[in-house]
Amino acid sequence: MARRRTACFGAIFAMAVGALIVPLATIATTGVPMPAILANDNRLPAGLLSRHELRLSLAAVWGRWYPDGPRGAFGPMQAFAQNGQAPQIPGPLIRVPVGTAIVVRVRNDIPGTHLTVHGLMNRPALRDHPFDVPYGQTRLVRFAAAAVGTYYYWGSTTGAAVSKRYGADSQLSGAIVVDPPHPGKRPSPDRIFVIGQWDNVLKAHGNPNFNYELDVINGRSWPYTEKLSYARGSTVRWRWIDPAFGAHPLHLHGFYFRVDSRGDGTEDVTYKREADRDQRVTELIEPGHTFAMSWNADRAGSWLFHCHLTYHVMAHRPISQMLRPPVHLSDEDDYLRHAMMGGLILQVAVRGRSAVQAQPARRVKLVVAPAPDDGPANPSFEFTLEENGKATVHSVAVAPAIVLTRDVPVAIDVVNRLHESTSIHWHGMELDDSYYDGVPGYSGQGVRRAPLIASGGAFEARMTPPRAGTFIYHTHKDDIFQLRGGLAGPLIVLPPGQTFDPSTDYVFTIAMPSLDKGGLRVFINGGFQPPPLVVRAGVRQRLRFINMTTYFTHVMLSLSVGGRTATWQPLAVDGADLAAMQQSARSAVDTVTIGQTRDYAFVPKRGNMLLQIWPAPSLPAVSIPVRAI
């Protein structure tokens, strides 16, 4: 009889812990033990598996959570623990072969609460089947793992939905993975990552205050998240689960990945045909959803995988402030201005030698300088593009398009004339050498790491674009302020022999103005109201959309005629051409998330049309008249 037990955590539980931040008397858990909560890397399945049945005992408890590692500060948090072991964030992993019956005993050891547990139910399911566990009581549940896929379970002691858990119960989540049958062999290796968010300081209307948010992957916040390493040539498989309150546009530097499945916690859809597996560099995962991805680690170097919502990749404030925030929040702008990287970031090393970079056949200079109205709280930049002795100055609040050619090696000299340092990331580019990827201190190999581009300094980035499409270049330093100063622009790669035709090819860079210039509005190509488009009737037009806002994850796009939705042909996402079956004409309504590009084609008839861009459903659209002559 095959048996499996999880590893004993006794030795780990005895580790040294950080200093106590808040007196326990201030927490409504007096007299209740507060064990250290361990970060769960989701490598060891929990419970006892015997033939076709898994048995597992879980308890919901208070514990001391160390998102910055065992030597960091802790916050009191609710977490799931396997019976007799230390609590974990995320909760113990349930992983079984398909066809397994799962028996789980759940106890509520959180005083004064009524625990509601979700997700411990048959798969597939048409709907959730939660059950309640009053304090001090135990519930037994039995369910069948009848469908392969990525799922999760979660709990709440406040009655909140999965997308509204902001406080102490926000980390009551764990992964469920149902593998295909694997008699005589183990399933293919993969990794499981659970996103967590905690926000102890809410705004007046009850929504999270981004300035007091803590974001984690498998219980840890960057730079304390796991450092991943793969041999060059490896196939990497990851599963992502979002039982947190935010949507996350997850972006991989330097590589495309395939989306192998998507799920909503009740069902999971696996894409069996290669043509159905979207190629992406950025995938949006919604609260309560999952996806599985795979990619080929075919180029050596140090790369990042991270959320592209800017507030989710900032170092969190001290936990003491999150537990006892100051009455006056006058330092918020200063915090946003100087916060380092943090939160939802993984560092990924691909071991091996980097490819030899080809000698550039072109050289382009990009000069970044302060605009006349630049100021500490109101950043505003202007840009100059130079090539072959010809310089063009761009004073609008967005970086200019750089047009490259597929398979032609190029050197781009970034000259920094700002009053501060910066760095440029070439978003979506499959670089031969990660040194040019643009994350200071991380991009590169060994001791050769990309530097900050100091004020008055310059950096040469080399690349040979392997595919044509719509890409992005943008700052990767002081992101909120520099992005809102305009340091993001289109990177257009054309097939050999083709030139960019602005009369049929239109680029829309969707960004955000400086904090004191526009509130919740968006800039389109550097302005609040772009000029009307005049196009040629009967001639194929291409629209390229780029979302480089700091937090609008669902920017909606639409094209209409006479108040009715028009049709367009989707061409590409993230610079990757869509499969032929995905390029069929369809209703001209779609969304583009942060760090993503989307291309469409349409053939206008003579008359008037309307292109509209909504940053969010509650905000007004930017309307751009289109006249076909």
Side-chain angles (χ1 to χ4, degrees):
M1 181 181 296
R3 292 182 178 270
R4 178 186 64 191
R5 293 184 182 273
T6 57
C8 176
F9 291 102
I12 302 174
F13 180 64
M15 72 173 82
V17 296
L20 180 62
I21 293 294
V22 179
L24 294 184
T26 66
I27 309 168
T29 57
T30 305
V32 177
M34 291 277 287
I37 300 173
L38 304 180
N40 180 10
D41 63 8
N42 284 311
R43 288 177 179 265
L44 293 175
L48 178 63
L49 181 65
S50 175
R51 294 182 66 86
H52 301 298
E53 183 178 84
L54 176 78
R55 289 187 170 270
L56 171 65
S57 292
L58 295 175
V61 301
W62 276 107
R64 304 192 307 272
W65 182 35
Y66 295 86
D68 298 329
R71 296 185 180 181
F74 77 79
M77 195 62 57
Q78 297 168 10
F80 283 116
Q82 189 174 186
N83 188 37
Q85 300 184 19
Q88 296 176 307
I89 293 178
L93 167 64
I94 298 175
R95 185 163 198 170
V96 296
V98 67
T100 302
I102 302 174
V103 181
V104 183
R105 189 181 301 271
V106 183
R107 181 176 177 82
N108 180 7
D109 287 333
I110 303 174
T113 67
H114 199 92
L115 174 68
T116 303
V117 181
H118 303 252
L120 297 179
M121 60 189 185
N122 294 337
R123 296 301 196 290
L126 295 178
R127 59 183 178 86
D128 192 14
H129 294 275
F131 58 91
D132 294 331
V133 189
Y135 169 63
Q137 296 190 25
T138 301
R139 293 288 184 267
L140 185 70
V141 60
R142 181 186 179 94
F143 60 98
V148 171
T150 306
Y151 310 99
Y152 62 95
Y153 63 95
W154 62 281
S156 174
T157 56
T158 60
V162 70
S163 60
K164 299 291 183 181
R165 295 182 306 161
Y166 305 137
D169 63 351
S170 61
Q171 307 308 308
L172 285 169
S173 310
I176 301 175
V177 174
V178 181
D179 288 310
H182 49 276
K185 66 177 183 178
R186 301 180 65 182
S188 59
D190 59 17
R191 293 301 309 274
I192 304 162
F193 301 103
V194 178
I195 295 171
Q197 293 178 280
W198 174 52
D199 199 326
N200 199 53
V201 183
L202 303 183
K203 295 182 179 180
H205 49 66
N207 287 337
N209 185 331
F210 287 143
N211 299 332
Y212 291 86
E213 184 177 322
L214 194 158
D215 304 278
V216 296
I217 298 172
N218 283 352
R220 292 282 172 85
S221 184
W222 168 274
Y224 305 98
T225 52
E226 186 177 356
K227 307 297 188 293
L228 303 172
S229 180
Y230 299 97
R232 183 176 178 180
S234 300
T235 298
V236 181
R237 295 181 174 88
W238 292 344
R239 299 174 189 261
W240 285 90
I241 300 172
D242 182 14
F245 56 75
H248 305 285
L250 299 177
H251 170 58
L252 178 62
H253 282 216
F255 301 88
Y256 279 84
F257 58 84
R258 297 170 297 277
V259 179
D260 299 320
S261 69
R262 292 184 178 96
D264 63 359
T266 57
E267 292 186 283
D268 191 78
V269 177
T270 299
Y271 306 112
K272 297 181 179 180
R273 299 187 309 169
E274 189 65 30
D276 296 332
R277 297 177 182 174
D278 294 331
Q279 285 195 76
R280 296 282 191 269
V281 299
T282 304
E283 170 75 1
L284 179 68
I285 185 171
E286 303 275 9
H289 285 243
T290 70
F291 76 94
M293 58 179 281
S294 59
W295 54 282
N296 298 322
D298 52 5
R299 281 165 287 115
S302 183
W303 313 89
L304 291 189
F305 184 84
H306 65 91
C307 180
H308 223 288
L309 198 161
T310 312
Y311 293 88
H312 294 170
V313 287
M314 294 169 51
H316 63 81
R317 289 176 181 267
I319 291 177
S320 57
Q321 280 194 26
M322 299 182 70
L323 291 168
R324 295 185 304 215
V327 175
H328 301 289
L329 305 180
S330 59
D331 65 333
E332 288 193 1
D333 284 350
D334 186 66
Y335 165 71
L336 295 177
R337 186 75 173 85
H338 299 290
M340 303 296 288
M341 290 171 58
L344 302 181
I345 306 173
L346 291 177
Q347 185 174 348
V348 184
V350 179
R351 304 186 302 275
R353 291 186 178 182
S354 295
V356 177
Q357 182 69 41
Q359 289 297 311
R362 286 181 63 190
R363 184 170 292 275
V364 178
K365 181 186 288 186
L366 173 69
V367 181
V368 186
D373 62 344
D374 181 63
N378 177 29
S380 183
F381 309 149
E382 70 176 20
F383 307 89
T384 302
L385 273 182
E386 299 181 22
E387 186 174 9
N388 298 325
K390 181 181 179 180
T392 305
V393 178
H394 302 262
S395 297
V396 296
V398 66
I402 298 176
V403 180
L404 306 178
T405 302
R406 189 186 68 212
D407 299 327
V408 175
V410 62
I412 302 176
D413 296 313
V414 182
V415 179
N416 180 14
R417 293 181 182 162
L418 300 174
H419 304 303
E420 59 184 303
S421 59
T422 190
S423 186
I424 301 296
H425 167 55
W426 310 97
H427 182 114
M429 282 288 100
E430 298 158 280
L431 300 174
D432 292 326
D433 189 340
S434 68
Y435 175 72
Y436 302 114
D437 193 46
V439 185
Y442 300 98
S443 298
Q445 274 187 300
V447 297
R448 184 173 178 262
R449 300 285 172 159
L452 277 170
I453 309 173
S455 175
F459 181 77
E460 179 194 69
R462 293 188 176 190
M463 64 194 76
T464 304
R467 70 177 77 204
T470 307
F471 306 95
I472 318 168
Y473 67 95
H474 63 81
T475 180
H476 226 301
K477 194 265 180 185
D478 237 353
D479 288 18
I480 287 179
F481 273 68
Q482 291 195 4
L483 283 175
R484 289 187 160 198
L487 195 40
L491 191 64
I492 308 299
V493 182
L494 300 175
Q498 190 176 112
T499 58
F500 185 79
D501 183 355
S503 70
T504 59
D505 202 331
Y506 300 92
V507 183
F508 300 92
T509 302
I510 307 163
M512 298 185 69
S514 300
L515 293 171
D516 62 349
K517 275 189 173 181
L520 293 179
R521 293 192 292 175
V522 292
F523 272 163
I524 310 295
N525 294 341
F528 290 123
Q529 181 56 61
L533 300 183
V534 179
V535 301
R536 286 174 287 173
V539 177
R540 188 175 187 263
Q541 311 290 318
R542 185 173 187 134
L543 305 176
R544 303 175 189 257
F545 296 96
I546 298 170
N547 183 347
M548 278 305 300
T549 64
T550 54
Y551 55 75
F552 290 126
T553 55
H554 298 76
V555 173
M556 192 171 82
L557 317 168
S558 78
L559 183 65
S560 59
V561 181
R564 295 185 178 183
T565 304
T567 60
W568 61 18
Q569 177 189 5
L571 299 178
V573 176
D574 289 341
D577 291 340
L578 295 172
M581 62 182 300
Q582 294 178 307
Q583 290 195 21
S584 57
R586 64 190 63 185
S587 179
V589 177
D590 211 340
T591 58
V592 57
T593 194
I594 304 171
Q596 189 175 75
T597 72
R598 288 184 178 267
D599 292 26
Y600 305 89
F602 74 102
V603 178
K605 295 180 180 179
R606 190 179 301 274
N608 296 323
M609 308 180 73
L610 188 64
L611 175 64
Q612 292 186 293
I613 300 173
W614 280 269
S618 60
L619 297 176
V622 177
S623 297
I624 307 169
V626 180
R627 184 162 63 95
I629 58 175

